[in-house]
Amino acid sequence: MGEDAESPKINHTFLRDYVTEADVISTVEFNQTGDLLATGDKGGRVVIFQRETESKGEPEEVGETVDSGEYNVYSTFQSHEPDFDYLKSLEIEEKINKIRWLPQQNAAHFLLSTNDKTIKLWKVSERDKRPEGYNLKDEEGRLKDMTTITSLQVPVLKPTDLMVEVRPRRVFSNGHTYHVNSISVNSDGETYLSADDLRINMWHLDITDRSFNILLVVLVWDAHIVDIKPANMEDLTEVITSAEFHPHHCHLFVYSSSKGTLRLCDMRASALCDRHTKLFEEPEDPGSRSFFSEIISSVSDVKFSHSGRYLLTRDYLTAKVWDLNMDKGPVETYQVHEYLRSKLCSLYENDCIFDKFECVWNSSDSVIMTGAYNSFFRMFDRETGRGVTLEAWRESSKPRAVLRTRRVYTGGKRRRGDVGVDSLDFTKKILHMAWHPSENIIAIAATNNLYIFQDRVNPETQGQ
């Protein structure tokens, strides 16, 4: 039977580009070894990828760089469900705001995931053996007839297909009135902090028998270490945007604000850290102040360097590096997309000016990376100060494909392949990313796609 000429044709391009809101990736995080990579999405799901071993590939030629393997799906689970706050008549989204791995202590892995209100501790473990030969149960788990048991046998463990089990171990709730924007695990391995707009809480991880358990909600010890909520909310002038523990000193942490300031706090000085140890801010030029000045100066992310000496921050237009020993201003400033300064009015109207870009260090703290629009992301070499713009798109995700450098045309001589400012797609934004803790492997989240790129030319070459 012939095909109806008037039957509608399927638009495969539309289906390929169609993205449901629940599938949009909202956080990316490597574990401490880099062998596992976790992503969270707006649907409340967590997907864990595991790095494959090198033995699966063919032997490399002499002198050729060895392929370090690829990342494949290891486990997927539903971390959070949509909820409702009946006291405030507010819906609580299932979107995963942050994921943080705990240092590995045994064969199992542990990670923290949070939505706007509730933080959960998950245990990820493997099982490749199962017990057989029970005395009182048959192979299907049913109880045997006692009269048929004439002898005793010792149960044995027999190999079975590998199973990855993910189980919740703790639920930390009722600790935040406002939306949680940050969680950070302390270097002591026992505590972590969580931050919302007005408060930073410190939680203890290792409480089991002393927990208060009602309706599967585990209330653990927590302490408010920062509370900037004013007595009158009309006096509120700034909110907390991000917070992180120092990588080596368990008593130090930093938090950023919507005014562009950083506050370093020392818990040895006071249990309630309303008074900071150091304040980092950049003096503002009164002549350049505009309606958008406070919005674009808001810090969306702050990260300690691996050495603990520097801080990396990201505001709307720039990425900045701060020295803990110099609080008068940043020691390095990198223009991420200065060409958007003339577009701030239209970016305000479409709410893009409120986008929160993340920033990350490479393993040696010599290169920083952050996101931009049009599926672009930027890397800056701290030694030379040079920056490069790269693009995360389908063609560059093919095996052994080389990332192309891109350039946004702002004037002067136009090169082939340049992208005009007016042609930028502001719906394709790179907000979330992660850098492998010891190698040149990066993970880039672009809407519902996860791109993993690896430097295979020279493992010691950083950035390019």
Side-chain angles (χ1 to χ4, degrees):
M1 185 175 181
E3 185 179 355
D4 187 358
E6 297 181 359
S7 61
K9 295 183 179 180
I10 298 176
N11 188 339
H12 295 283
T13 302
F14 170 78
L15 293 177
R16 185 187 64 188
D17 295 335
Y18 178 74
V19 179
T20 60
E21 186 73 10
D23 294 331
V24 174
I25 298 173
S26 54
T27 184
V28 184
E29 184 76 7
F30 281 103
N31 72 339
Q32 281 74 15
T33 63
D35 292 332
L36 295 178
L37 172 65
T39 66
D41 61 28
K42 291 187 176 181
R45 296 179 297 266
V46 172
V47 180
I48 302 176
F49 298 85
Q50 184 183 47
R51 192 176 186 180
E52 296 297 324
T53 58
E54 303 173 9
S55 58
K56 291 186 178 181
E58 297 181 358
E60 301 285 346
E61 297 291 336
V62 177
E64 187 176 347
T65 305
V66 177
D67 191 350
S68 298
E70 60 182 16
Y71 287 82
N72 293 320
V73 175
Y74 180 62
S75 179
T76 303
F77 62 96
Q78 188 72 30
S79 174
H80 288 71
E81 300 282 356
D83 203 352
F84 190 80
D85 188 337
Y86 292 96
L87 293 177
K88 298 182 178 180
S89 297
L90 292 175
E91 292 184 358
I92 302 174
E93 294 182 348
E94 64 272 32
K95 171 192 169 188
I96 307 298
N97 292 339
K98 294 291 180 182
I99 292 175
R100 290 293 181 265
W101 292 91
L102 272 62
Q104 188 176 4
Q105 305 292 340
N106 49 42
H109 299 271
F110 291 86
L111 63 85
L112 291 165
S113 63
T114 183
N115 66 349
D116 287 340
K117 299 291 184 181
T118 305
I119 306 164
K120 296 183 179 182
L121 174 65
W122 298 90
K123 179 182 179 181
V124 184
S125 58
E126 293 182 354
R127 179 188 294 179
D128 58 359
K129 293 181 177 62
R130 62 185 178 91
E132 290 186 1
Y134 286 109
N135 290 287
L136 303 180
K137 295 180 181 179
D138 59 19
E139 294 182 356
E140 296 180 359
R142 295 174 297 190
L143 289 175
K144 295 180 180 178
D145 185 357
M146 297 298 179
T147 60
T148 63
I149 301 175
T150 58
S151 62
L152 295 177
Q153 58 182 344
V154 178
V156 295
L157 293 174
K158 290 191 175 181
T160 183
D161 293 337
L162 179 66
M163 294 178 57
V164 180
E165 296 181 335
V166 182
R167 297 181 179 179
R169 294 300 301 272
R170 299 277 192 282
V171 179
F172 306 89
S173 58
N174 301 332
H176 288 278
T177 305
Y178 305 96
H179 293 175
V180 177
N181 56 48
S182 303
I183 51 177
S184 178
V185 180
N186 201 344
S187 59
D188 62 11
E190 296 181 352
T191 56
Y192 74 93
L193 64 76
S194 58
D196 63 22
D197 292 342
L198 298 179
R199 176 177 288 171
I200 299 176
N201 292 343
M202 183 174 175
W203 304 80
H204 200 286
L205 285 165
D206 197 26
I207 293 182
T208 55
D209 58 328
R210 289 173 290 161
S211 299
F212 183 67
N213 193 328
I214 295 180
L215 298 177
L216 299 181
V217 177
V218 182
L219 302 178
V220 301
W221 168 84
D222 72 292
H224 310 314
I225 51 178
V226 173
D227 191 345
I228 65 171
K229 183 178 180 180
N232 185 355
M233 288 296 285
E234 293 182 357
D235 298 331
L236 182 67
T237 59
E238 62 180 331
V239 295
I240 298 169
T241 56
S242 184
E244 186 173 71
F245 266 121
H246 192 281
H248 308 302
H249 302 303
C250 60
H251 55 273
L252 292 177
F253 69 94
V254 67
Y255 69 93
S256 59
S257 80
S258 57
K259 278 193 170 182
T261 60
L262 305 173
R263 290 176 173 87
L264 183 69
C265 299
D266 190 338
M267 292 186 291
R268 296 174 301 180
S270 173
L272 184 61
C273 299
D274 286 345
R275 294 185 178 180
H276 50 267
T277 303
K278 279 190 176 183
L279 175 66
F280 301 86
E281 62 179 336
E282 185 174 21
E284 184 183 13
D285 181 9
S288 61
R289 182 169 179 80
S290 68
F291 171 78
F292 305 107
S293 295
E294 189 168 322
I295 301 176
I296 63 175
S297 65
S298 174
V299 176
S300 57
D301 193 20
V302 57
K303 295 282 175 60
F304 274 103
S305 62
H306 294 84
S307 65
R309 170 70 183 273
Y310 299 98
L311 290 168
L312 172 62
T313 62
R314 173 67 202 267
D315 56 40
Y316 189 68
L317 295 179
T318 66
K320 297 173 182 176
V321 175
W322 307 72
D323 191 328
L324 289 186
N325 298 328
M326 299 175 62
D327 54 2
K328 294 184 178 180
V331 293
E332 302 165 22
T333 300
Y334 301 96
Q335 303 296 333
V336 179
H337 39 211
E338 180 64 20
Y339 45 81
L340 294 182
R341 190 175 292 274
S342 60
K343 304 288 184 181
L344 293 180
C345 186
S346 58
L347 292 169
Y348 177 80
E349 292 176 354
N350 61 19
D351 287 340
C352 284
I353 199 172
F354 301 105
D355 287 334
K356 301 182 184 303
F357 293 94
E358 295 179 0
C359 53
V360 292
W361 299 86
N362 73 333
S363 59
S364 62
D365 299 334
S366 60
V367 179
I368 63 173
M369 178 173 65
T370 189
Y373 294 106
N374 207 69
S375 297
F376 292 165
F377 61 97
R378 305 215 60 198
M379 289 184 177
F380 297 94
D381 188 314
R382 295 184 59 206
E383 183 178 355
T384 63
R386 295 179 57 187
V388 61
T389 302
L390 302 169
E391 183 179 14
W393 66 312
R394 289 186 179 89
E395 293 299 322
S396 61
S397 64
K398 294 180 179 179
R400 300 181 184 273
V402 178
L403 279 174
R404 295 186 304 168
T405 59
R406 303 302 302 267
R407 194 174 79 111
V408 177
Y409 174 76
T410 56
K413 185 178 181 180
R414 185 162 186 169
R415 305 173 188 171
R416 183 180 180 181
D418 284 359
V419 180
V421 177
D422 295 330
S423 302
L424 293 175
D425 189 344
F426 292 99
T427 63
K428 296 180 179 180
K429 54 191 77 173
I430 304 295
L431 301 177
H432 313 288
M433 56 188 58
W435 204 310
H436 191 284
S438 59
E439 300 180 31
N440 270 350
I441 299 175
I442 58 174
I444 304 291
T447 57
N448 64 328
N449 298 311
L450 177 67
Y451 296 96
I452 299 177
F453 301 113
Q454 178 181 2
D455 179 8
R456 300 186 57 210
V457 179
N458 183 354
E460 297 180 357
T461 302
Q462 303 293 333
Q464 298 295 331

